[in-house]
Amino acid sequence: MLNRLQESDIKLLRVFYAVASCNGFTAAEPVLRMQRPNISAAIKKLEERLDLVLCHRGRGGFQMTKEGEVVFQETKRIFNAFDNFVFNLKSLHDDYSGHITIVLMAGLATSMQLAVAKAVKSTMKKFDDIHVNIQTRLYNEVEHVALSGECHLVLSTYDMVKPESVMFHPVGIQCKGRLYCSPSHPLAKFRDVDALPDSVNIEDYPAIGISGLSSSNYISNDKRLSIQTFSDSFDVCMAAVMTGEYVGLLPDYIAKEQGAATGLVPIAKGSMFPFAHDLFVMNGKNTRLNPVLRYCIKEIEYFVSESQK
């Protein structure tokens, strides 16, 4: 079992990280510039060092084990933090080259994701030796990754009390939403009414919540949602709502993008439990905002705002 990380172990982890990211040995060959037998030997040696089986390979194709998934996620954190350290170190010498990592909250609107792509392209064009990693995290993880050093910037909504250790750069738009149900849900028949009849108690209908979302979202005037279970993203929440068993809070952009396929129903003309969450670019205060990151923040703010017009 591995007790201390050595330089040779880091090289082996780099190989495993590439293989896991590419979802296979063959796909990782051009990335690693290694032949398959050498890649296989490196993975086998790493498994011996860790005393774990990381993946299965054979006729059924490449498949990571549960242990392999854990090692992959931890390896991703290590290399993200290391790349960020190197980038910040270079910037102290006015050398703006290397890798920066941007994290997007899972479930952002497609228009926002495309806007980030434009901002990244603009940043890479201005600073021609910059490479950008774009990743996603669940809503309840975005504050942690902003603080942990795993990334430089996070684009996410945020409705909790803002910690002093995180800097918030407002984009200038809000992600609005409300209470939705599926077409098969009993409350779907109240789609076109201004308010639920007094005889209908919203607490009688199980609701699904979002992990990390402020509990104040589930209270509106004298009404309260009956949260029976939680999901970790708005995408998964939508899937649960579409079972017909739950009502749930969803951003309007999800209903707009998925509406034709799902038939999501805004209860009582969308008047139930409305919310408006501000969108921010976030970074931990330990992140050094050099010219590259400052430029990238401005470009993200510009292109995301333009995408919502």
PDB file of all heavy atoms in Angstrom, residues 3 19 25 34 41 49 54 62-63 75 100 108 148 156 186 188 197 202 205 239 262-263 270 277 280 301 306:
ATOM      1  N   ASN A   3       2.290   4.629   1.022  1.00  0.00           N
ATOM      2  CA  ASN A   3       2.332   5.443   2.230  1.00  0.00           C
ATOM      3  C   ASN A   3       2.882   6.831   1.966  1.00  0.00           C
ATOM      4  O   ASN A   3       2.592   7.767   2.703  1.00  0.00           O
ATOM      5  CB  ASN A   3       3.190   4.758   3.299  1.00  0.00           C
ATOM      6  CG  ASN A   3       2.553   3.485   3.823  1.00  0.00           C
ATOM      7  OD1 ASN A   3       1.354   3.454   4.066  1.00  0.00           O
ATOM      8  ND2 ASN A   3       3.353   2.437   3.964  1.00  0.00           N
ATOM      9  N   VAL A  19      -5.911   8.044 -19.070  1.00  0.00           N
ATOM     10  CA  VAL A  19      -6.701   6.883 -19.492  1.00  0.00           C
ATOM     11  C   VAL A  19      -8.152   7.025 -19.033  1.00  0.00           C
ATOM     12  O   VAL A  19      -9.094   6.792 -19.803  1.00  0.00           O
ATOM     13  CB  VAL A  19      -6.092   5.576 -18.942  1.00  0.00           C
ATOM     14  CG1 VAL A  19      -7.035   4.400 -19.189  1.00  0.00           C
ATOM     15  CG2 VAL A  19      -4.752   5.308 -19.596  1.00  0.00           C
ATOM     16  N   PHE A  25      -7.694   2.892 -23.102  1.00  0.00           N
ATOM     17  CA  PHE A  25      -6.251   2.860 -23.352  1.00  0.00           C
ATOM     18  C   PHE A  25      -5.932   3.402 -24.744  1.00  0.00           C
ATOM     19  O   PHE A  25      -5.013   4.211 -24.911  1.00  0.00           O
ATOM     20  CB  PHE A  25      -5.727   1.421 -23.220  1.00  0.00           C
ATOM     21  CG  PHE A  25      -5.652   0.927 -21.809  1.00  0.00           C
ATOM     22  CD1 PHE A  25      -6.764   0.932 -20.973  1.00  0.00           C
ATOM     23  CD2 PHE A  25      -4.460   0.451 -21.290  1.00  0.00           C
ATOM     24  CE1 PHE A  25      -6.690   0.471 -19.675  1.00  0.00           C
ATOM     25  CE2 PHE A  25      -4.375  -0.012 -19.990  1.00  0.00           C
ATOM     26  CZ  PHE A  25      -5.500  -0.008 -19.173  1.00  0.00           C
ATOM     27  N   MET A  34       2.268   7.468 -25.831  1.00  0.00           N
ATOM     28  CA  MET A  34       2.762   6.171 -25.388  1.00  0.00           C
ATOM     29  C   MET A  34       2.001   5.072 -26.124  1.00  0.00           C
ATOM     30  O   MET A  34       0.849   5.268 -26.522  1.00  0.00           O
ATOM     31  CB  MET A  34       2.551   5.984 -23.872  1.00  0.00           C
ATOM     32  CG  MET A  34       3.364   6.913 -22.998  1.00  0.00           C
ATOM     33  SD  MET A  34       2.870   6.795 -21.241  1.00  0.00           S
ATOM     34  CE  MET A  34       3.255   5.067 -20.870  1.00  0.00           C
ATOM     35  N   ALA A  41       1.219  -1.369 -18.774  1.00  0.00           N
ATOM     36  CA  ALA A  41       2.229  -1.686 -17.761  1.00  0.00           C
ATOM     37  C   ALA A  41       2.224  -0.630 -16.653  1.00  0.00           C
ATOM     38  O   ALA A  41       2.380  -0.958 -15.469  1.00  0.00           O
ATOM     39  CB  ALA A  41       3.600  -1.788 -18.405  1.00  0.00           C
ATOM     40  N   ARG A  49       1.112  -0.495  -6.623  1.00  0.00           N
ATOM     41  CA  ARG A  49       1.535   0.494  -5.630  1.00  0.00           C
ATOM     42  C   ARG A  49       0.389   0.843  -4.674  1.00  0.00           C
ATOM     43  O   ARG A  49       0.592   1.034  -3.471  1.00  0.00           O
ATOM     44  CB  ARG A  49       2.023   1.759  -6.330  1.00  0.00           C
ATOM     45  CG  ARG A  49       3.378   1.625  -7.001  1.00  0.00           C
ATOM     46  CD  ARG A  49       4.512   1.711  -5.995  1.00  0.00           C
ATOM     47  NE  ARG A  49       4.644   3.031  -5.425  1.00  0.00           N
ATOM     48  CZ  ARG A  49       5.182   3.286  -4.227  1.00  0.00           C
ATOM     49  NH1 ARG A  49       5.584   2.284  -3.452  1.00  0.00           N
ATOM     50  NH2 ARG A  49       5.298   4.519  -3.780  1.00  0.00           N
ATOM     51  N   LEU A  54      -7.986  -0.696 -10.306  1.00  0.00           N
ATOM     52  CA  LEU A  54      -8.525   0.593 -10.735  1.00  0.00           C
ATOM     53  C   LEU A  54      -9.473   0.477 -11.916  1.00  0.00           C
ATOM     54  O   LEU A  54     -10.380   1.305 -12.064  1.00  0.00           O
ATOM     55  CB  LEU A  54      -7.378   1.549 -11.091  1.00  0.00           C
ATOM     56  CG  LEU A  54      -6.384   1.838  -9.961  1.00  0.00           C
ATOM     57  CD1 LEU A  54      -5.266   2.731 -10.464  1.00  0.00           C
ATOM     58  CD2 LEU A  54      -7.086   2.468  -8.766  1.00  0.00           C
ATOM     59  N   PHE A  62     -13.184  -0.815 -21.684  1.00  0.00           N
ATOM     60  CA  PHE A  62     -12.604  -0.194 -20.491  1.00  0.00           C
ATOM     61  C   PHE A  62     -13.699   0.176 -19.503  1.00  0.00           C
ATOM     62  O   PHE A  62     -14.720   0.753 -19.876  1.00  0.00           O
ATOM     63  CB  PHE A  62     -11.819   1.048 -20.892  1.00  0.00           C
ATOM     64  CG  PHE A  62     -11.284   1.837 -19.739  1.00  0.00           C
ATOM     65  CD1 PHE A  62     -10.103   1.478 -19.122  1.00  0.00           C
ATOM     66  CD2 PHE A  62     -11.987   2.939 -19.254  1.00  0.00           C
ATOM     67  CE1 PHE A  62      -9.607   2.206 -18.046  1.00  0.00           C
ATOM     68  CE2 PHE A  62     -11.500   3.672 -18.185  1.00  0.00           C
ATOM     69  CZ  PHE A  62     -10.305   3.302 -17.582  1.00  0.00           C
ATOM     70  N   GLN A  63     -13.484  -0.153 -18.248  1.00  0.00           N
ATOM     71  CA  GLN A  63     -14.450   0.208 -17.210  1.00  0.00           C
ATOM     72  C   GLN A  63     -13.733   0.378 -15.890  1.00  0.00           C
ATOM     73  O   GLN A  63     -13.008  -0.501 -15.439  1.00  0.00           O
ATOM     74  CB  GLN A  63     -15.530  -0.866 -17.081  1.00  0.00           C
ATOM     75  CG  GLN A  63     -16.632  -0.508 -16.092  1.00  0.00           C
ATOM     76  CD  GLN A  63     -17.727  -1.553 -16.046  1.00  0.00           C
ATOM     77  OE1 GLN A  63     -17.603  -2.619 -16.641  1.00  0.00           O
ATOM     78  NE2 GLN A  63     -18.801  -1.262 -15.338  1.00  0.00           N
ATOM     79  N   THR A  75      -7.251  12.274  -7.994  1.00  0.00           N
ATOM     80  CA  THR A  75      -6.153  12.632  -8.887  1.00  0.00           C
ATOM     81  C   THR A  75      -6.469  13.932  -9.615  1.00  0.00           C
ATOM     82  O   THR A  75      -5.594  14.791  -9.808  1.00  0.00           O
ATOM     83  CB  THR A  75      -5.908  11.501  -9.913  1.00  0.00           C
ATOM     84  OG1 THR A  75      -5.594  10.300  -9.201  1.00  0.00           O
ATOM     85  CG2 THR A  75      -4.753  11.837 -10.835  1.00  0.00           C
ATOM     86  N   ILE A 100      -5.422  27.252 -16.812  1.00  0.00           N
ATOM     87  CA  ILE A 100      -6.369  27.764 -15.836  1.00  0.00           C
ATOM     88  C   ILE A 100      -7.607  26.855 -15.883  1.00  0.00           C
ATOM     89  O   ILE A 100      -7.928  26.277 -16.921  1.00  0.00           O
ATOM     90  CB  ILE A 100      -6.766  29.234 -16.071  1.00  0.00           C
ATOM     91  CG1 ILE A 100      -7.492  29.409 -17.413  1.00  0.00           C
ATOM     92  CG2 ILE A 100      -5.546  30.131 -16.004  1.00  0.00           C
ATOM     93  CD1 ILE A 100      -8.031  30.826 -17.601  1.00  0.00           C
ATOM     94  N   LEU A 108     -26.365  24.596 -15.890  1.00  0.00           N
ATOM     95  CA  LEU A 108     -26.525  25.948 -16.426  1.00  0.00           C
ATOM     96  C   LEU A 108     -27.145  25.895 -17.811  1.00  0.00           C
ATOM     97  O   LEU A 108     -27.005  24.908 -18.535  1.00  0.00           O
ATOM     98  CB  LEU A 108     -25.177  26.672 -16.490  1.00  0.00           C
ATOM     99  CG  LEU A 108     -24.612  27.220 -15.187  1.00  0.00           C
ATOM    100  CD1 LEU A 108     -23.246  27.849 -15.441  1.00  0.00           C
ATOM    101  CD2 LEU A 108     -25.551  28.241 -14.556  1.00  0.00           C
ATOM    102  N   SER A 148     -10.934  25.780  -2.480  1.00  0.00           N
ATOM    103  CA  SER A 148      -9.967  24.702  -2.291  1.00  0.00           C
ATOM    104  C   SER A 148      -8.691  24.846  -3.106  1.00  0.00           C
ATOM    105  O   SER A 148      -7.719  24.146  -2.855  1.00  0.00           O
ATOM    106  CB  SER A 148     -10.624  23.361  -2.644  1.00  0.00           C
ATOM    107  OG  SER A 148     -10.938  23.324  -4.027  1.00  0.00           O
ATOM    108  N   SER A 156     -21.562  30.299 -11.285  1.00  0.00           N
ATOM    109  CA  SER A 156     -22.657  29.623 -10.605  1.00  0.00           C
ATOM    110  C   SER A 156     -23.651  30.632 -10.056  1.00  0.00           C
ATOM    111  O   SER A 156     -23.306  31.802  -9.820  1.00  0.00           O
ATOM    112  CB  SER A 156     -22.117  28.777  -9.443  1.00  0.00           C
ATOM    113  OG  SER A 156     -23.155  28.207  -8.682  1.00  0.00           O
ATOM    114  N   PRO A 186     -51.127  15.329 -10.260  1.00  0.00           N
ATOM    115  CA  PRO A 186     -52.468  15.858  -9.936  1.00  0.00           C
ATOM    116  C   PRO A 186     -52.562  17.385  -9.999  1.00  0.00           C
ATOM    117  O   PRO A 186     -53.641  17.923 -10.291  1.00  0.00           O
ATOM    118  CB  PRO A 186     -52.707  15.351  -8.505  1.00  0.00           C
ATOM    119  CG  PRO A 186     -51.859  14.135  -8.383  1.00  0.00           C
ATOM    120  CD  PRO A 186     -50.653  14.395  -9.226  1.00  0.00           C
ATOM    121  N   ALA A 188     -51.129  19.305 -12.140  1.00  0.00           N
ATOM    122  CA  ALA A 188     -50.995  19.801 -13.510  1.00  0.00           C
ATOM    123  C   ALA A 188     -52.289  20.437 -14.006  1.00  0.00           C
ATOM    124  O   ALA A 188     -52.271  21.317 -14.873  1.00  0.00           O
ATOM    125  CB  ALA A 188     -50.566  18.669 -14.443  1.00  0.00           C
ATOM    126  N   PRO A 197     -56.679  26.596  -5.468  1.00  0.00           N
ATOM    127  CA  PRO A 197     -57.877  26.746  -4.635  1.00  0.00           C
ATOM    128  C   PRO A 197     -57.532  26.528  -3.166  1.00  0.00           C
ATOM    129  O   PRO A 197     -56.582  25.818  -2.822  1.00  0.00           O
ATOM    130  CB  PRO A 197     -58.806  25.641  -5.155  1.00  0.00           C
ATOM    131  CG  PRO A 197     -58.304  25.322  -6.532  1.00  0.00           C
ATOM    132  CD  PRO A 197     -56.829  25.541  -6.489  1.00  0.00           C
ATOM    133  N   ILE A 202     -50.598  22.547  -0.639  1.00  0.00           N
ATOM    134  CA  ILE A 202     -49.366  22.176  -1.337  1.00  0.00           C
ATOM    135  C   ILE A 202     -48.525  21.212  -0.504  1.00  0.00           C
ATOM    136  O   ILE A 202     -47.761  20.392  -1.051  1.00  0.00           O
ATOM    137  CB  ILE A 202     -48.544  23.436  -1.698  1.00  0.00           C
ATOM    138  CG1 ILE A 202     -47.434  23.092  -2.708  1.00  0.00           C
ATOM    139  CG2 ILE A 202     -47.960  24.086  -0.455  1.00  0.00           C
ATOM    140  CD1 ILE A 202     -47.930  22.674  -4.052  1.00  0.00           C
ATOM    141  N   TYR A 205     -48.402  17.347  -1.142  1.00  0.00           N
ATOM    142  CA  TYR A 205     -47.760  16.786  -2.326  1.00  0.00           C
ATOM    143  C   TYR A 205     -46.247  16.734  -2.120  1.00  0.00           C
ATOM    144  O   TYR A 205     -45.610  17.778  -1.906  1.00  0.00           O
ATOM    145  CB  TYR A 205     -48.099  17.627  -3.561  1.00  0.00           C
ATOM    146  CG  TYR A 205     -49.585  17.657  -3.835  1.00  0.00           C
ATOM    147  CD1 TYR A 205     -50.399  18.629  -3.250  1.00  0.00           C
ATOM    148  CD2 TYR A 205     -50.184  16.687  -4.636  1.00  0.00           C
ATOM    149  CE1 TYR A 205     -51.776  18.643  -3.476  1.00  0.00           C
ATOM    150  CE2 TYR A 205     -51.555  16.700  -4.871  1.00  0.00           C
ATOM    151  CZ  TYR A 205     -52.334  17.675  -4.283  1.00  0.00           C
ATOM    152  OH  TYR A 205     -53.695  17.674  -4.504  1.00  0.00           O
ATOM    153  N   ALA A 239     -35.610  15.244 -13.679  1.00  0.00           N
ATOM    154  CA  ALA A 239     -35.893  13.830 -13.922  1.00  0.00           C
ATOM    155  C   ALA A 239     -36.839  13.291 -12.855  1.00  0.00           C
ATOM    156  O   ALA A 239     -37.764  12.523 -13.156  1.00  0.00           O
ATOM    157  CB  ALA A 239     -34.599  13.024 -13.947  1.00  0.00           C
ATOM    158  N   THR A 262     -40.502  17.325 -22.502  1.00  0.00           N
ATOM    159  CA  THR A 262     -40.999  16.878 -21.204  1.00  0.00           C
ATOM    160  C   THR A 262     -42.415  17.329 -20.895  1.00  0.00           C
ATOM    161  O   THR A 262     -43.123  16.668 -20.135  1.00  0.00           O
ATOM    162  CB  THR A 262     -40.081  17.387 -20.085  1.00  0.00           C
ATOM    163  OG1 THR A 262     -40.129  18.829 -20.058  1.00  0.00           O
ATOM    164  CG2 THR A 262     -38.646  16.937 -20.306  1.00  0.00           C
ATOM    165  N   GLY A 263     -42.812  18.478 -21.432  1.00  0.00           N
ATOM    166  CA  GLY A 263     -44.129  19.014 -21.093  1.00  0.00           C
ATOM    167  C   GLY A 263     -44.220  19.516 -19.668  1.00  0.00           C
ATOM    168  O   GLY A 263     -45.297  19.507 -19.063  1.00  0.00           O
ATOM    169  N   GLY A 270     -47.218  29.596 -12.915  1.00  0.00           N
ATOM    170  CA  GLY A 270     -45.863  29.915 -12.475  1.00  0.00           C
ATOM    171  C   GLY A 270     -45.797  30.828 -11.277  1.00  0.00           C
ATOM    172  O   GLY A 270     -44.731  31.370 -10.964  1.00  0.00           O
ATOM    173  N   HIS A 277     -32.264  33.760  -8.624  1.00  0.00           N
ATOM    174  CA  HIS A 277     -30.918  33.592  -8.073  1.00  0.00           C
ATOM    175  C   HIS A 277     -29.904  34.343  -8.925  1.00  0.00           C
ATOM    176  O   HIS A 277     -29.836  34.144 -10.135  1.00  0.00           O
ATOM    177  CB  HIS A 277     -30.546  32.105  -8.026  1.00  0.00           C
ATOM    178  CG  HIS A 277     -31.417  31.300  -7.119  1.00  0.00           C
ATOM    179  ND1 HIS A 277     -31.519  29.928  -7.208  1.00  0.00           N
ATOM    180  CD2 HIS A 277     -32.236  31.673  -6.088  1.00  0.00           C
ATOM    181  CE1 HIS A 277     -32.362  29.503  -6.277  1.00  0.00           C
ATOM    182  NE2 HIS A 277     -32.796  30.524  -5.593  1.00  0.00           N
ATOM    183  N   PHE A 280     -23.064  34.568 -10.561  1.00  0.00           N
ATOM    184  CA  PHE A 280     -21.778  35.172 -10.217  1.00  0.00           C
ATOM    185  C   PHE A 280     -20.626  34.402 -10.860  1.00  0.00           C
ATOM    186  O   PHE A 280     -20.717  33.189 -11.082  1.00  0.00           O
ATOM    187  CB  PHE A 280     -21.547  35.143  -8.699  1.00  0.00           C
ATOM    188  CG  PHE A 280     -22.499  35.955  -7.892  1.00  0.00           C
ATOM    189  CD1 PHE A 280     -23.620  35.371  -7.320  1.00  0.00           C
ATOM    190  CD2 PHE A 280     -22.286  37.312  -7.686  1.00  0.00           C
ATOM    191  CE1 PHE A 280     -24.506  36.104  -6.557  1.00  0.00           C
ATOM    192  CE2 PHE A 280     -23.162  38.067  -6.918  1.00  0.00           C
ATOM    193  CZ  PHE A 280     -24.274  37.461  -6.352  1.00  0.00           C
ATOM    194  N   GLU A 301     -18.481  37.757 -18.036  1.00  0.00           N
ATOM    195  CA  GLU A 301     -19.585  38.647 -17.691  1.00  0.00           C
ATOM    196  C   GLU A 301     -20.229  39.223 -18.944  1.00  0.00           C
ATOM    197  O   GLU A 301     -21.462  39.278 -19.061  1.00  0.00           O
ATOM    198  CB  GLU A 301     -19.080  39.775 -16.786  1.00  0.00           C
ATOM    199  CG  GLU A 301     -18.654  39.299 -15.396  1.00  0.00           C
ATOM    200  CD  GLU A 301     -17.981  40.393 -14.593  1.00  0.00           C
ATOM    201  OE1 GLU A 301     -17.682  41.470 -15.171  1.00  0.00           O
ATOM    202  OE2 GLU A 301     -17.738  40.178 -13.391  1.00  0.00           O
ATOM    203  N   GLU A 306     -24.744  39.088 -22.735  1.00  0.00           N
ATOM    204  CA  GLU A 306     -25.208  39.206 -24.117  1.00  0.00           C
ATOM    205  C   GLU A 306     -26.085  38.026 -24.511  1.00  0.00           C
ATOM    206  O   GLU A 306     -27.037  38.174 -25.283  1.00  0.00           O
ATOM    207  CB  GLU A 306     -24.008  39.303 -25.065  1.00  0.00           C
ATOM    208  CG  GLU A 306     -23.287  40.634 -25.045  1.00  0.00           C
ATOM    209  CD  GLU A 306     -24.165  41.760 -25.606  1.00  0.00           C
ATOM    210  OE1 GLU A 306     -24.613  41.628 -26.747  1.00  0.00           O
ATOM    211  OE2 GLU A 306     -24.402  42.725 -24.867  1.00  0.00           O
TER     212      GLU A 306
END
